[in-house]
Amino acid sequence: MPVDVDLRKLRYFVEVAERLHFGRAAQALHIAQPVLSRQIRALESELGAQLFVRDRRASELTPAGRQLLEDARPLLASAEALRRRVGRAARGPRVFAVGFMPGLIVTPAVRALSARHPGLTVEVLRMSWDDQAELIRDGHVDVGYVRLPIDRRGLRTRHLLSEPRVVSLPADHRLAGKDVINAADLADEHLLQDPDAVPEWRDVATEMATGSRGAGPQIRTVEEKLEHVAAGRGIVILPLSTATFYTRPDVVHVSVCDLPPNQVHLAWDATRRSPLIQEFVGVAVASQG
């Protein structure tokens, strides 16, 4: 028998599943804890599965709960993207949103699309490593200039350009005077970013081999990362355009000869058939010359 899943209950479930605490989840949702508990019990009843193992101190996900969490996130993102697109169409005039990663210049393509469609409002939104794919999936942007690697599930992509990568070091670092170095020269350094963004560094990093890499503070923006670099707390690997854009006197950028170039792609929701998206992709590729 088909089950109609209530998106509100799904949102409640995800909040509890991510926090594994009904009290804190209720506070974040601005509802009473007994109300939240009733909603979760109702969802379990509708699905015919227990989602949490509860005791007085904490909650844990059951296998069914873990599966629902995996499936609920993209479902909620799709629902939010649908809401945004319908709302955008209803408001008018038409709006087209372009996302971009730091260091990338989108002005030529934005101006070209605006010139072709005088009634179109073209907005731009700065993205980050952590949210570049999600901002496309949830409908915040129509097309994004993304830096690989990303999770491509639900996305279509087209290669746009490649650019060298450099390591950012404090100005007084032992390698700061070098013109070019190897990735192995950075083996003993602490990386101030997600290692998944620099898989080549994983192969040589001492802190990965010894398991000494701590969680550390969550550093999201390029500006924050460079503040930590300048303070001598570690290094970051950046595409050359990003490093050039964020030039500062207490940080130097050195070429790393055996790091492959960063790949920049255009990405958009694979389910969408908007002619504007295809037109912008063509314009963006042409603007690269």
Side-chain angles (χ1 to χ4, degrees):
M1 183 176 181
V3 176
D4 293 326
V5 178
D6 185 334
L7 292 181
R8 182 183 61 175
K9 291 191 184 77
L10 269 188
R11 292 189 182 94
Y12 289 174
F13 163 77
V14 169
E15 195 71 38
V16 178
E18 291 181 341
R19 297 171 185 272
L20 291 178
H21 194 285
F22 276 74
R24 287 193 288 269
Q27 288 180 341
L29 292 165
H30 305 291
I31 62 175
Q33 184 173 336
V35 173
L36 177 59
S37 296
R38 285 198 298 271
Q39 292 293 318
I40 296 301
R41 284 196 297 270
L43 179 61
E44 289 177 320
S45 177
E46 291 168 7
L47 295 175
Q50 183 178 356
L51 302 174
F52 295 97
V53 177
R54 308 172 180 84
D55 59 32
R56 292 183 178 181
R57 294 185 177 181
S59 300
E60 293 184 5
L61 285 167
T62 64
R66 288 192 293 272
Q67 182 63 57
L68 181 60
L69 180 60
E70 181 180 338
D71 293 336
R73 285 171 172 148
L75 179 60
L76 291 173
S78 295
E80 178 63 16
L82 174 64
R83 184 192 67 79
R84 289 182 187 280
R85 289 198 294 268
V86 171
R88 188 181 296 167
R91 287 193 301 271
R94 293 183 302 163
V95 176
F96 189 86
V98 178
F100 65 95
M101 288 289 285
L104 298 175
I105 305 299
V106 302
T107 309
V110 168
R111 292 185 66 179
L113 189 69
S114 298
R116 292 184 178 197
H117 301 275
L120 181 68
T121 299
V122 184
E123 298 177 345
V124 294
L125 176 68
R126 181 187 185 277
M127 305 187 297
S128 71
W129 164 259
D130 297 309
D131 66 14
Q132 56 178 341
E134 289 309 314
L135 287 174
I136 299 169
R137 291 193 186 98
D138 69 14
H140 273 87
V141 301
D142 296 288
V143 176
Y145 285 67
V146 301
R147 294 191 184 277
L148 301 190
I150 63 168
D151 178 359
R152 301 198 202 193
R153 288 179 297 178
L155 302 180
R156 291 189 63 190
T157 65
R158 178 164 177 179
H159 180 264
L160 190 63
L161 59 94
S162 305
E163 60 174 316
R165 289 185 290 170
V166 299
V167 59
S168 299
L169 307 165
D172 58 355
H173 192 277
R174 60 184 175 84
L175 299 173
K178 301 283 188 179
D179 292 326
V180 181
I181 62 173
N182 298 309
D185 295 325
L186 304 172
D188 295 330
E189 302 295 334
H190 172 58
L191 191 70
L192 293 166
Q193 64 202 109
D194 185 345
D196 289 342
V198 195
E200 304 84 3
W201 177 83
R202 285 181 173 274
D203 298 333
V204 301
T206 301
E207 67 179 11
M208 297 298 292
T210 62
S212 60
R213 180 180 174 86
Q218 194 171 39
I219 308 172
R220 294 189 177 277
T221 69
V222 176
E223 295 91 340
E224 290 171 349
K225 291 171 184 173
L226 293 180
E227 284 293 335
H228 284 272
V229 169
R233 295 170 184 153
I235 64 168
V236 294
I237 305 295
L238 297 174
L240 180 59
S241 65
T242 306
T244 302
F245 186 83
Y246 289 97
T247 298
R248 48 185 292 169
D250 50 1
V251 173
V252 299
H253 308 296
V254 179
S255 296
V256 185
C257 64
D258 52 351
L259 286 182
N262 175 246
Q263 304 298 327
V264 177
H265 282 224
L266 296 166
W268 61 98
D269 187 329
T271 66
R272 298 187 60 188
R273 298 293 182 266
S274 167
L276 272 178
I277 290 178
Q278 298 305 318
E279 184 175 359
F280 182 83
V281 169
V283 165
V285 170
S287 72
Q288 293 300 313

